[in-house]
Amino acid sequence: MPSELLPDAAPGGEPSRPLRSWVRSSPGTHLWLLVIAITSLVIALSSDGLEHYLLHRNSSNLYQLSHHPVRALLGSAFWIADPADFLLYAVLFEVFHAPVERWLGTLRWFVVVATAHIAATLISQKVVLEAIQDHDVPRSMAHVVDIGVSYGLAASIGILTYRIPRPWRWFYLAGAVAFFAVPLCTSHTYTDLGHAISLAIGLAFWPLTRGVGPRGKSLAYEAPPPAH
């Protein structure tokens, strides 16, 4: 029987170990999730003073960005403010990040989420800076806790649109846009702006999905083997 007619094995090629195969098929997602699990445990076991220090030190707020830009951008991607939210994020990572990484491959997935995290953070904090300068918000906004993984998650939600077949793609896209646009229009927070920017970045990476087959493999024409 030709190999292309054989049923697909579990991700990673281990049909007897589907969980291990799924993890191995999206290593970036699960390594990221593991680090967040560790930092969440640290926060859960910390005193109030240490928790306050860690969250502010790893924030990507204006103060940290101006003094420690690399640490702020990198560190803020590995912490969540409330450890109780870890299980929710674990589910969201499995639903959105893991399928995107398996589809695009780890490198392309990383480019999407890293671009969104950095760009959304810088743009939203630029808005905060201008609001402070215009006296629309207090100067204390430069020191607020700004951490979390939601910007990268929004980007994965965006680019996953192109993985969904029509006509369901349009329902998914409408739901994603509504989910992020409604808070932006009603609450007007810099975080809501960052989410909307990240979703747009994920959608803008459509060219990255062209020619991508299952499991991140590029679709290229291969000549059939010569007849014997």
Side-chain angles (χ1 to χ4, degrees):
M1 179 183 293
S3 59
E4 62 269 24
L5 298 182
L6 292 174
D8 282 342
E14 297 179 90
S16 62
R17 299 178 180 178
L19 179 59
R20 179 179 176 181
S21 298
W22 177 257
V23 171
R24 291 183 62 183
S25 70
S26 47
T29 294
H30 292 95
L31 180 60
W32 192 4
L33 198 56
L34 175 61
V35 175
I36 294 172
I38 294 172
T39 58
S40 297
L41 181 61
V42 170
I43 291 296
L45 298 177
S46 298
S47 63
D48 290 343
L50 180 57
E51 175 184 346
H52 181 272
Y53 170 78
L54 290 173
L55 294 182
H56 279 80
R57 179 180 174 82
N58 290 283
S59 288
S60 53
N61 54 36
L62 284 174
Y63 177 83
Q64 294 294 338
L65 284 172
S66 62
H67 290 80
H68 311 284
V70 175
R71 188 185 71 194
L73 289 171
L74 181 62
S76 61
F78 295 100
W79 298 78
I80 56 177
D82 188 353
D85 292 336
F86 173 74
L87 290 180
L88 172 61
Y89 277 108
V91 171
L92 294 175
F93 268 49
E94 298 296 344
V95 172
F96 296 107
H97 277 316
V100 171
E101 183 182 359
R102 186 186 176 209
W103 169 42
L104 296 180
T106 300
L107 180 58
R108 295 187 187 192
W109 163 81
F110 176 78
V111 168
V112 173
V113 298
T115 301
H117 175 74
I118 294 172
T121 297
L122 295 179
I123 294 172
S124 61
Q125 288 301 316
K126 174 65 173 177
V127 172
V128 174
L129 176 60
E130 292 177 350
I132 292 175
Q133 293 172 340
D134 293 338
H135 305 290
D136 293 330
V137 298
R139 298 189 66 85
S140 60
M141 285 293 293
H143 298 270
V144 297
V145 173
D146 181 25
I147 59 172
V149 299
S150 55
Y151 290 166
L153 191 58
S156 278
I157 291 173
I159 200 168
L160 189 60
T161 300
Y162 307 114
R163 181 62 167 164
I164 299 174
R166 299 180 181 88
W168 308 112
R169 173 182 301 179
W170 311 122
F171 292 101
Y172 172 89
L173 178 59
V177 170
F179 183 82
F180 292 110
V182 170
L184 178 62
C185 295
T186 56
S187 301
H188 309 290
T189 70
Y190 69 88
T191 303
D192 295 328
L193 174 62
H195 290 152
I197 292 170
S198 297
L199 179 69
I201 289 173
L203 292 169
F205 266 111
W206 169 76
L208 208 62
T209 70
R210 300 183 64 184
V212 178
R215 303 174 194 171
K217 296 179 180 178
S218 297
L219 296 177
Y221 173 78
E222 294 183 4
H228 295 289

